[in-house]
PDB file of all heavy atoms in Angstrom:
ATOM      1  N   ARG X 641     202.854 -27.087  23.518  1.00  0.00           N
ATOM      2  CA  ARG X 641     201.439 -27.436  22.951  1.00  0.00           C
ATOM      3  C   ARG X 641     201.317 -27.020  21.559  1.00  0.00           C
ATOM      4  O   ARG X 641     200.599 -27.640  20.715  1.00  0.00           O
ATOM      5  CB  ARG X 641     200.494 -26.672  23.796  1.00  0.00           C
ATOM      6  CG  ARG X 641     200.064 -27.415  25.044  1.00  0.00           C
ATOM      7  CD  ARG X 641     198.946 -26.722  25.718  1.00  0.00           C
ATOM      8  NE  ARG X 641     198.734 -27.459  27.013  1.00  0.00           N
ATOM      9  CZ  ARG X 641     198.242 -26.916  28.019  1.00  0.00           C
ATOM     10  NH1 ARG X 641     197.876 -25.638  28.126  1.00  0.00           N
ATOM     11  NH2 ARG X 641     198.071 -27.713  29.078  1.00  0.00           N
ATOM     12  N   SER X 699     196.936 -52.923  44.279  1.00  0.00           N
ATOM     13  CA  SER X 699     196.390 -53.330  45.677  1.00  0.00           C
ATOM     14  C   SER X 699     197.305 -54.321  46.326  1.00  0.00           C
ATOM     15  O   SER X 699     198.216 -54.780  45.768  1.00  0.00           O
ATOM     16  CB  SER X 699     195.060 -54.028  45.425  1.00  0.00           C
ATOM     17  OG  SER X 699     195.310 -55.127  44.596  1.00  0.00           O
ATOM     18  N   ASN X 703     195.416 -59.226  55.690  1.00  0.00           N
ATOM     19  CA  ASN X 703     194.530 -60.231  56.363  1.00  0.00           C
ATOM     20  C   ASN X 703     193.623 -60.795  55.213  1.00  0.00           C
ATOM     21  O   ASN X 703     192.419 -61.108  55.516  1.00  0.00           O
ATOM     22  CB  ASN X 703     193.732 -59.575  57.520  1.00  0.00           C
ATOM     23  CG  ASN X 703     194.581 -59.291  58.734  1.00  0.00           C
ATOM     24  OD1 ASN X 703     195.658 -60.076  58.862  1.00  0.00           O
ATOM     25  ND2 ASN X 703     194.323 -58.207  59.443  1.00  0.00           N
ATOM     26  N   THR X 710     197.892 -47.264  45.879  1.00  0.00           N
ATOM     27  CA  THR X 710     198.130 -46.253  44.840  1.00  0.00           C
ATOM     28  C   THR X 710     199.457 -46.265  44.328  1.00  0.00           C
ATOM     29  O   THR X 710     200.454 -46.424  45.097  1.00  0.00           O
ATOM     30  CB  THR X 710     197.934 -44.808  45.573  1.00  0.00           C
ATOM     31  OG1 THR X 710     196.554 -44.785  46.093  1.00  0.00           O
ATOM     32  CG2 THR X 710     198.090 -43.635  44.520  1.00  0.00           C
ATOM     33  N   LEU X 765     214.393 -48.628  35.952  1.00  0.00           N
ATOM     34  CA  LEU X 765     213.771 -47.255  36.399  1.00  0.00           C
ATOM     35  C   LEU X 765     212.430 -47.625  37.076  1.00  0.00           C
ATOM     36  O   LEU X 765     211.804 -46.669  37.661  1.00  0.00           O
ATOM     37  CB  LEU X 765     213.614 -46.462  35.312  1.00  0.00           C
ATOM     38  CG  LEU X 765     214.832 -46.002  34.462  1.00  0.00           C
ATOM     39  CD1 LEU X 765     214.584 -45.539  33.158  1.00  0.00           C
ATOM     40  CD2 LEU X 765     215.496 -44.911  35.296  1.00  0.00           C
TER      41      LEU X 765
ATOM     42  N   ASP D  32     193.968 -26.649  29.737  1.00  0.00           N
ATOM     43  CA  ASP D  32     194.509 -27.312  30.926  1.00  0.00           C
ATOM     44  C   ASP D  32     193.390 -28.105  31.541  1.00  0.00           C
ATOM     45  O   ASP D  32     192.458 -27.662  31.986  1.00  0.00           O
ATOM     46  CB  ASP D  32     194.910 -26.087  31.910  1.00  0.00           C
ATOM     47  CG  ASP D  32     196.083 -25.471  31.621  1.00  0.00           C
ATOM     48  OD1 ASP D  32     196.950 -26.054  30.983  1.00  0.00           O
ATOM     49  OD2 ASP D  32     196.218 -24.180  31.649  1.00  0.00           O
ATOM     50  N   SER D  53     198.369 -45.229  51.398  1.00  0.00           N
ATOM     51  CA  SER D  53     197.923 -45.875  50.168  1.00  0.00           C
ATOM     52  C   SER D  53     199.119 -46.118  49.193  1.00  0.00           C
ATOM     53  O   SER D  53     199.283 -47.120  48.563  1.00  0.00           O
ATOM     54  CB  SER D  53     196.851 -45.084  49.379  1.00  0.00           C
ATOM     55  OG  SER D  53     196.284 -45.825  48.393  1.00  0.00           O
ATOM     56  N   ASP D  60     202.717 -53.797  47.051  1.00  0.00           N
ATOM     57  CA  ASP D  60     202.000 -54.517  46.013  1.00  0.00           C
ATOM     58  C   ASP D  60     202.875 -55.486  45.202  1.00  0.00           C
ATOM     59  O   ASP D  60     202.490 -56.655  44.946  1.00  0.00           O
ATOM     60  CB  ASP D  60     201.162 -53.587  45.135  1.00  0.00           C
ATOM     61  CG  ASP D  60     200.753 -54.265  43.779  1.00  0.00           C
ATOM     62  OD1 ASP D  60     200.035 -55.207  43.808  1.00  0.00           O
ATOM     63  OD2 ASP D  60     201.049 -53.848  42.660  1.00  0.00           O
ATOM     64  N   SER D 179     212.745 -42.410  40.018  1.00  0.00           N
ATOM     65  CA  SER D 179     213.114 -42.135  38.619  1.00  0.00           C
ATOM     66  C   SER D 179     212.569 -40.806  38.136  1.00  0.00           C
ATOM     67  O   SER D 179     211.380 -40.428  38.457  1.00  0.00           O
ATOM     68  CB  SER D 179     212.604 -43.303  37.706  1.00  0.00           C
ATOM     69  OG  SER D 179     213.186 -44.533  38.034  1.00  0.00           O
ATOM     70  N   GLU D 221     199.697 -58.092  57.692  1.00  0.00           N
ATOM     71  CA  GLU D 221     200.951 -58.401  56.940  1.00  0.00           C
ATOM     72  C   GLU D 221     201.890 -57.305  56.903  1.00  0.00           C
ATOM     73  O   GLU D 221     202.949 -57.432  56.384  1.00  0.00           O
ATOM     74  CB  GLU D 221     200.670 -59.063  55.594  1.00  0.00           C
ATOM     75  CG  GLU D 221     200.134 -60.472  55.613  1.00  0.00           C
ATOM     76  CD  GLU D 221     198.590 -60.411  55.743  1.00  0.00           C
ATOM     77  OE1 GLU D 221     198.031 -59.422  56.052  1.00  0.00           O
ATOM     78  OE2 GLU D 221     198.005 -61.609  55.473  1.00  0.00           O
TER      79      GLU D 221
END
Side-chain angles (χ1 to χ4, degrees):
Chain X
R641 274 185 187 154
S699 62
N703 286 332
T710 302
L765 297 161
Chain D
D32 284 327
S53 192
D60 166 57
S179 294
E221 288 86 348

